[in-house]
Amino acid sequence: MPNSLSPRERLIVALDTARIEDAERLVDELGQVVVFYKVGMELAYGGGLALVSRLAASGKKAFLDLKLHDIPNTVERATAQVARLGATFLTVHAYPQTMRAAVAGAANSGLKLLAVTVLTSADDADLAEAGYAIGVQALVKKRGAQAQAAGIDGLVASAAEASALRAELGRDLILVTPGIRPAGADLGDQKRVATPARAIADGADYLVVGRPITEAADPRGAAEAIVAEIAQAAGHSPG
Ligand code: C5P
């Protein structure tokens, strides 16, 4: 993992809004407290790609969560376009062909690639329905190894998967963990959650946090509290 990261750099706030104005208001409100933002498909299709460039130009970091998957030529060229936007992270589905193409497209850029092994909305029955003869756990493990072999920089993984992946794949792999809920927070639709401290202890490098910050009465205070919890768990000052 990137050891030099300060606790503040390890928090990624998910800008899951439909309107660009709402995302920009949140970024303004969070100010210096947050340096890293995730733009997913909903916002990307509503003007979010330009926001990624604006964030990068203003010294912030952007994670473009597009989960690319297409023929290799298209994936390679799309990845090169994302690198030109100035994004720091991009997600792709963990199919070997797709991952190799994305690695080629990101070559000689600052863009880091994260693979999504198995969507957390899928269970064994969903995989069987989709034609797979392998369960979720085994597929997560298999695709994690394939991601590493393809030259992917990191994985998106739940805190529950993080420690096994870390043990299996070593320290170099970047682990990004969603499903974070501070103690006592509303779960929303998340089923397998971990506190910030638990996720850090399980080996996560970066935590993706949406609603516990974006829907808080005081988003800035909520973000500060999470940075403080990361700092405590990682044995650092908030930085
Ligand atoms: O609001 P909340 O903290 O649940 O948001 C989590 C973010 O992480 C959302 O943008 C969601 O799409 C994303 N995510 C997730 N689980 C995954 C992959 C991504 O919750 N397995």
Side-chain angles (χ1 to χ4, degrees):
M1 97 118 179
N3 278 322
S4 53
L5 286 178
S6 72
R8 196 174 299 288
E9 291 171 301
R10 299 175 72 167
L11 171 64
I12 302 176
V13 173
L15 293 173
D16 293 326
T17 68
R19 288 161 23 104
I20 202 78
E21 298 84 351
D22 295 335
E24 285 184 322
R25 193 169 318 117
L26 259 168
V27 171
D28 281 349
E29 193 171 343
L30 292 168
Q32 302 302 313
V33 176
V34 173
V35 298
F36 213 153
Y37 289 97
K38 182 168 92 69
V39 172
M41 281 189 220
E42 181 187 16
L43 187 59
Y45 295 138
L49 299 183
L51 177 62
V52 165
S53 293
R54 287 200 293 281
L55 287 168
S58 69
K60 304 284 188 195
K61 295 208 257 180
F63 168 3
L64 202 37
D65 189 12
L66 295 181
K67 300 187 178 71
L68 299 187
H69 184 45
D70 207 318
I71 61 168
N73 180 61
T74 302
V75 169
E76 180 175 341
R77 294 169 71 122
T79 301
Q81 289 281 59
V82 168
R84 285 191 275 275
L85 290 176
T88 298
F89 286 165
L90 168 69
T91 43
V92 302
H93 280 287
Y95 290 75
Q97 207 181 46
T98 294
M99 295 192 288
R100 288 193 289 271
V103 168
N108 306 314
S109 78
L111 180 65
K112 295 212 181 303
L113 297 168
L114 306 175
V116 177
T117 54
V118 179
L119 292 172
T120 47
S121 54
D123 59 19
D124 289 350
D126 293 305
L127 288 184
E129 187 186 13
Y132 291 87
I134 181 172
V136 170
Q137 271 196 341
L139 192 54
V140 167
K141 206 169 142 180
K142 180 177 179 132
R143 289 186 167 166
Q146 289 173 326
Q148 211 166 32
I152 288 284
D153 300 287
L155 300 176
V156 179
S158 73
E161 293 160 357
S163 49
L165 286 167
R166 181 64 79 206
E168 190 96 8
L169 303 172
R171 291 303 307 167
D172 285 345
L173 194 78
I174 300 170
L175 284 179
V176 178
T177 299
I180 301 298
R181 291 292 179 270
D186 193 354
L187 297 194
D189 56 357
Q190 296 281 13
K191 292 184 180 135
R192 292 180 290 138
V193 300
T195 62
R198 179 75 253 160
I200 295 291
D202 283 342
D205 297 313
Y206 294 87
L207 310 186
V208 176
V209 186
R211 289 161 288 182
I213 292 174
T214 60
E215 291 183 1
D218 171 15
R220 202 183 166 101
E224 281 287 19
I226 291 174
V227 171
E229 188 174 337
I230 294 173
Q232 199 173 26
H236 281 114
S237 67

